[in-house]
Amino acid sequence: EPEVTQTPSHQVTQMGQEVILRCVPISNHLYFYWYRQILGQKVEFLVSFYNNEISEKSEIFDDQFSVERPDGSNFTLKIRSTKLEDSAMYFCASRAGTSGSRNEQFFGPGTRLTVL
Amino acid sequence: QKEVEQDPGPLSVPEGAIVSLNCTYSNSAFQYFMWYRQYSRKGPELLMYTYSSGNKEDGRFTAQVDKSSKYISLFIRDSQPSDSATYLCAMSAPLRGGNKLTFGTGTQLKVEL
């Protein structure tokens, strides 16, 4: 069964360093998302991406964040200068389309980011 | 008022019990409703998806949506210890290219032998 994959599973970085989190969405999906979950808190939307551009972003997604789909399979989230408060699980999700069951969002296993 | 309210639990039930999990919401624009299961430090796993009022059944799971009351439920029949997890409700409003999910806080469920 197709699934969303994410690498690495765990990333440890120093405050102020840049990190890139990688995702491979399900192959025929067109819409891509990043969410985060701080330990003990709810899953929060960061950004949605469609047709090679950001379609919506939250107030969390400030200038320190960027997303890219560098090729036909990968979808990346970059944090330019990490802060302690960026420590969280980051989930990538993808969706096939907009009608019926194609609207379902499937999540990857997550990358646990620890900023020291 | 939070957009999505969900009782965090924990909810503890004996094996074989019927479990009822609920969420309320305030945004009438929400049209798509999902239930996810999340094991500790893992990604959310989609269990049920529905976009109309009424019931939808899949195996031991039944999702119920009442848009007039802004209330959704997930019922688990014949609960098993392997059902022990956190259950997240999530919903979205139709938006061109968007459809971001707004999650509840999750209800922690423990099914005991």
Side-chain angles (χ1 to χ4, degrees), chain B residues 52-63:
Chain B
S52 56
S53 282
N55 293 354
K56 180 180 178 180
E57 190 173 316
D58 184 1
R60 296 187 295 114
F61 299 95
T62 299

Side-chain angles (χ1 to χ4, degrees), chain A residues 7-20:
Chain A
T7 54
S9 57
H10 189 195
Q11 174 89 49
V12 181
T13 190
Q14 295 290 326
M15 189 169 56
Q17 294 298 302
E18 174 183 287
V19 294
I20 298 176

Side-chain angles (χ1 to χ4, degrees), chain A residues 31 33 35 37 39 41-45 48-50 55-56 89 91 95 98 100-101 103-110 112, chain B residues 2 4 32 34 36 38 41-46 48-49 51 56 88 92 95-106:
Chain A
Y31 301 83
Y33 303 83
Y35 294 82
Q37 186 177 32
L39 189 62
Q41 297 186 23
K42 67 178 184 177
V43 177
E44 300 175 288
F45 168 77
S48 59
F49 192 85
Y50 169 71
S55 47
E56 192 177 1
M89 284 287 284
F91 296 110
R95 172 168 69 95
T98 56
S101 63
N103 204 31
E104 297 168 331
Q105 284 189 35
F106 295 93
F107 281 70
R112 183 153 64 101
Chain B
K2 291 181 186 176
V4 180
Y32 307 119
M34 277 148 270
Y36 289 86
Q38 186 178 32
R41 294 187 177 244
K42 301 293 184 185
E45 174 193 3
L46 182 64
M48 298 288 286
Y49 164 73
Y51 47 89
K56 180 180 178 180
L88 313 174
S92 68
L95 180 68
R96 189 182 184 89
N99 281 46
K100 68 176 184 181
L101 292 179
T102 300
F103 281 84
T105 53

